Every structure is written in structure tokens, then in C-alpha cells.
Amino acid sequence: QVQLVESGGGLVQAGGSLRLSCAASGSTFSMGWYRQAPGQQRELVARLTYGSSTDYADAVKGRFTISRDNARNTVNLQMNSLKPEDTAVYYCNARAFTLRTARYDDYWGQGTQVTVSS
């Protein structure tokens, strides 16, 4: 099973920056970041596959960058030019293939709060 540990959330003024990190303990097919604002459903923020393909939500394109640090086995999300609407709980996600069940399973971090004030 994959274990995920997140860090880097906090409170920041609009226009500021934060960097989220997610450390994975096992092999993954892909990793990404999701977020969930109060009263809203969880949504994809950014995703990175093993082949280095990336996928970003339209709302964060040009401001957020997802990257991988192979030496530390971590995935990072650099968030620049933050806006109040970016306020949410951010969750690290990983997909891993399980041979026993012959399917991909999703794993989630505990979530980290990001609050952007105006």
C-alpha cells in the first residue's frame, strides 16, 4: 500500500506563494493534487504521470506548477500568485496498481489547509 504525507499549507496574502509537498512511500502510477473548498466537491488541481505528462485545472494554469523530486520520492506543487478562491483543503493523491485485484487504486493524504486572504 501507498502511504502519503503532505506538508506546506498555511495562510498567505493574495499574490503570495506557497509550496506543497507530498512524500510517497511506495510505487505509484501517477500523483496529483486535489482541493476541496467549504460546501464544494473535491476537484483536480494538478496531476503528474510517470511519463511526466501534466494536467492542470484551468483555474490554476500559469500559476501552479507540479513537479517531482526523485531523490526524495516526493511530488511538489508550487503555487504562485495565489488568489482568495484558491482557499481550500489540498489533498495529495496517488494511483497505484494492485496485482492482487488487477486494478488501480487511489490513495489520499490527510489534507493540508491553504488559506489566501484578500
Side-chain angles (χ1 to χ4, degrees):
Q1 294 184 349
V2 175
Q3 302 292 323
L4 304 174
V5 180
E6 302 150 319
S7 63
L11 174 64
V12 66
Q13 190 76 16
S17 299
L18 286 173
R19 190 172 96 151
L20 306 182
S21 295
C22 177
S25 64
S27 298
T28 60
F29 173 75
S30 65
M31 296 187 69
W33 288 94
Y34 290 70
R35 67 186 182 186
Q36 186 169 17
Q40 301 183 21
Q41 65 181 24
R42 190 177 301 174
E43 64 178 1
L44 173 69
V45 178
R47 186 168 175 266
L48 177 67
T49 69
Y50 182 79
S52 298
S53 297
T54 57
D55 186 24
Y56 293 94
D58 289 340
V60 307
K61 287 181 178 178
R63 300 187 297 118
F64 291 11
T65 303
I66 188 169
S67 62
R68 182 177 63 205
D69 186 336
N70 291 326
R72 297 182 178 182
N73 195 29
T74 62
V75 170
N76 303 311
L77 183 69
Q78 180 66 45
M79 305 185 294
N80 298 326
S81 302
L82 283 162
K83 305 174 181 179
E85 50 263 44
D86 295 318
T87 296
V89 177
Y90 284 69
Y91 297 91
C92 181
N93 167 264
R95 298 198 74 196
F97 186 76
T98 303
L99 265 62
R100 177 171 50 84
T101 58
R103 70 182 188 182
Y104 289 93
D105 294 308
D106 284 317
Y107 299 86
W108 297 93
Q110 79 282 3
T112 183
Q113 177 70 46
V114 172
T115 302
V116 184
S117 64
S118 58

